[in-house]
């Protein structure tokens, strides 16, 4: 990205590129981990009615603290949470931005263990928070002793843990999160954007909140609730954390329409969450099939799979795109990420990938 020299951009942003997964018009889009199942007609009607009611009051500012929405989110999360322990914003990225505005910033640092969610370092840098990159194991797991050493060596103000991890898919054991909470001098933020897709019995960091007041758990309605277009994210934390966020949030940051859409979806949660079960099963079939093709696949508790390893992953990505299937170049070199879609989309993905793999193997065998 090249900007003109006369533009007085912050020096620390010069030369950087913005986040952006490709948005291409292709028959099968499996690159952004969206829920492929649109809201049901019943849910669409409920959302339409809620938005119509909100429309009649759009001359007034919305509830600045979104108390009703926070009450609904607390009820959904359970774990004895009250609305004062829940906060909502325009997508989990804005939640993360607010956390770094309040607890990061100039002279402060944040650490994440990569490969992980690419927006964490981007938001850190845009809030002038120094980013420290910790390492995951070769199998993309996180060794608690190694992570604790990194925290004690660097003493970051914010620690990011992603569970299930994006782009690798694995969930963290609670013991790892507890070790981080015990070692961190500041906040520990567990990004649980894909929590609903985790296998039965997978640990939820929400259960640790009573013991660790500096623990924050972030979530989103984009994935499990199929509301990527509505932009609703939220967190659960000690009420003191949320009081601090009030210092940095913009006035009336969450529109009346957004609040209405989110509350309607929560009132009909059983409908979108039913698709989660289907996608979990589709993910497991996807992982099994990829492995049957001789590929290496990271174990996944999310709605996607990371697969490889390829000598030229971009060539595989391009060949799939030419066949109308868009996946994601994400994670370490040599790997690709594919979202679990509908059965028809998965059939299209498999049909596209097989000749691509055959071609890649033929080229490999033809090399002298």
């Amino acid at each position: 990205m090249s900007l003109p020299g006369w533009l007085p951009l912050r020096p620390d942003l010069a030369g950087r590129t913005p986040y952006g997964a490709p948005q291409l018009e292709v028959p099968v889009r499996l690159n952004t981990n969206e829920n492929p199942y649109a809201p049901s007609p019943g849910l669409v009607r409920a959302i339409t009615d809620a938005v119509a009611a909100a429309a009649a009051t759009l001359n007034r500012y919305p509830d600045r603290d979104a108390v009703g929405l926070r009450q609904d989110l607390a009820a959904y999360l359970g774990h004895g949470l009250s609305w004062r322990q829940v906060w909502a914003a325009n997508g989990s990225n804005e939640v993360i931005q607010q956390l770094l505005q309040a607890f990061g910033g100039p002279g402060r640092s944040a650490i994440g263990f990569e490969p992980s969610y690419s927006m964490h370092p981007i938001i850190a840098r845009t809030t002038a928070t120094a980013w420290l990159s910790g390492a995951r194991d070769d199998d993309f797991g996180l060794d608690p002793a190694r992570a604790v050493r990194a925290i004690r060596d660097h003493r970051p103000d914010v620690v990011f843990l992603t569970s299930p991890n994006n782009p690798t898919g694995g969930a963290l054991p609670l013991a790892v999160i507890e070790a981080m909470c015990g070692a961190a001098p500041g906040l520990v933020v567990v990004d649980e954007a894909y929590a609903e897709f985790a296998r039965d019995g997978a640990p939820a960091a929400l259960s640790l909140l009573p013991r660790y007041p500096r623990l924050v758990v972030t979530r989103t309605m984009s994935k499990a609730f199929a509301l990527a277009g509505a932009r609703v994210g939220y967190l659960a934390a000690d009420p003191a954390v949320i009081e601090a966020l009030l210092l940095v949030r913009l006035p009336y940051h969450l529109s009346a329409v957004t609040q209405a859409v989110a509350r309607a979806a929560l009132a009909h949660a059983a409908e979108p969450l039913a698709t989660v079960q289907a996608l979990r099963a589709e993910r497991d079939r996807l992982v099994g099939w990829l492995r049957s093709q001789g590929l290496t696949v990271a174990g996944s508790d999310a709605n996607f799979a990371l697969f490889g390893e390829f000598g030229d992953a971009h060539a595989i990505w391009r060949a799939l795109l030419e066949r109308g299937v868009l996946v994601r170049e994400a994670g370490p070199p040599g790997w690709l990420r594919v979202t679990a879609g509908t059965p028809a989309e998965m059939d299209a993905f498999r049909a596209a990938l097989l000749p691509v793999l055959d071609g890649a193997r033929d080229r490999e065998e033809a090399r002298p």
Side-chain angles (χ1 to χ4, degrees):
M1 184 176 184
S2 179
L3 295 172
W6 54 261
L7 198 64
L9 182 69
R10 279 170 31 192
D12 59 306
L13 296 181
R16 298 200 176 275
T17 56
Y19 173 88
Q23 288 188 306
L24 304 176
E25 289 299 325
V26 296
V28 181
R29 290 187 295 179
L30 301 171
N31 69 323
T32 52
N33 302 337
E34 296 160 317
N35 189 319
Y37 295 102
S40 69
L43 181 51
V44 169
R45 286 193 297 272
I47 290 173
T48 301
D49 291 344
V51 170
T57 67
L58 289 182
N59 59 311
R60 301 294 186 184
Y61 286 114
D63 176 4
R64 182 172 53 216
D65 295 327
V67 172
L69 173 56
R70 291 161 66 189
Q71 289 172 332
D72 292 349
L73 286 167
Y76 166 69
L77 290 175
H79 292 272
L81 292 169
S82 76
W83 70 270
R84 295 184 185 277
Q85 294 171 277
V86 177
W87 182 245
N90 293 284
S92 59
N93 287 327
E94 185 178 47
V95 170
I96 293 164
Q97 182 181 62
Q98 291 174 344
L99 287 167
L100 287 170
Q101 286 173 323
F103 299 100
R108 294 193 169 195
S109 64
I111 191 171
F113 298 90
E114 297 174 302
S116 192
Y117 183 39
S118 60
M119 279 304 299
H120 292 160
I122 292 174
I123 298 173
R125 292 174 183 126
T126 58
T127 57
T129 307
W131 179 255
L132 306 169
S133 179
R136 287 182 170 265
D137 301 334
D138 291 341
D139 64 355
F140 305 127
L142 188 58
D143 176 70
R146 184 180 181 185
V148 164
R149 283 196 300 272
I151 290 172
R152 289 177 175 165
D153 287 346
H154 297 289
R155 298 192 61 78
D157 299 278
V158 181
V159 176
F160 282 104
L161 302 172
T162 311
S163 180
N165 188 44
N166 178 13
T168 60
L172 287 175
L174 282 187
V176 175
I177 299 173
E178 290 179 280
M180 302 300 98
C181 289
L187 289 190
V188 174
V189 179
V190 181
D191 188 332
E192 288 191 341
Y194 300 93
E196 287 90 347
F197 296 99
R199 301 168 194 279
D200 292 337
L206 294 170
S207 64
L208 301 177
L209 287 172
R211 293 170 48 199
Y212 299 104
R214 293 198 299 271
L215 173 64
V216 178
V217 180
T218 66
R219 290 202 178 183
T220 180
M221 295 186 74
S222 293
K223 313 299 183 183
F225 279 87
L227 285 184
R231 312 306 302 127
V232 183
Y234 57 102
L235 64 73
D238 188 273
V241 173
I242 294 166
E243 288 294 317
L245 296 184
L246 299 180
L247 300 173
V248 299
R249 63 96 181 264
L250 294 174
Y252 312 105
H253 71 292
L254 206 55
S255 78
V257 171
T258 300
Q259 293 182 46
V261 170
R263 297 194 68 186
L266 287 162
H268 296 78
E271 294 185 30
L273 292 180
T275 68
V276 170
Q277 301 305 317
L279 290 169
R280 288 169 68 182
E282 200 64 63
R283 169 204 64 205
D284 292 342
R285 285 192 290 270
L286 170 65
V287 169
W289 182 83
L290 288 168
R291 287 174 175 165
S292 75
Q293 302 307 308
L295 297 168
T296 303
V297 187
S300 179
D301 280 281
N303 67 332
F304 55 81
L306 187 75
F307 66 103
E309 301 178 49
F310 302 107
D312 188 348
H314 182 72
I316 303 294
W317 178 88
R318 173 60 63 182
L320 286 171
L321 182 61
E322 290 171 353
R323 290 165 171 79
V325 177
L326 178 62
V327 298
R328 186 74 182 272
E329 294 182 277
W335 295 77
L336 296 170
R337 192 192 70 196
V338 56
T339 304
T342 65
E345 289 173 331
M346 292 292 91
D347 286 345
F349 167 72
R350 288 187 284 265
L353 183 61
L354 283 174
V356 171
L357 291 178
D358 289 342
R361 288 166 181 150
D362 289 344
R363 287 191 295 275
E364 190 66 27
E365 291 173 359
R367 287 182 180 178

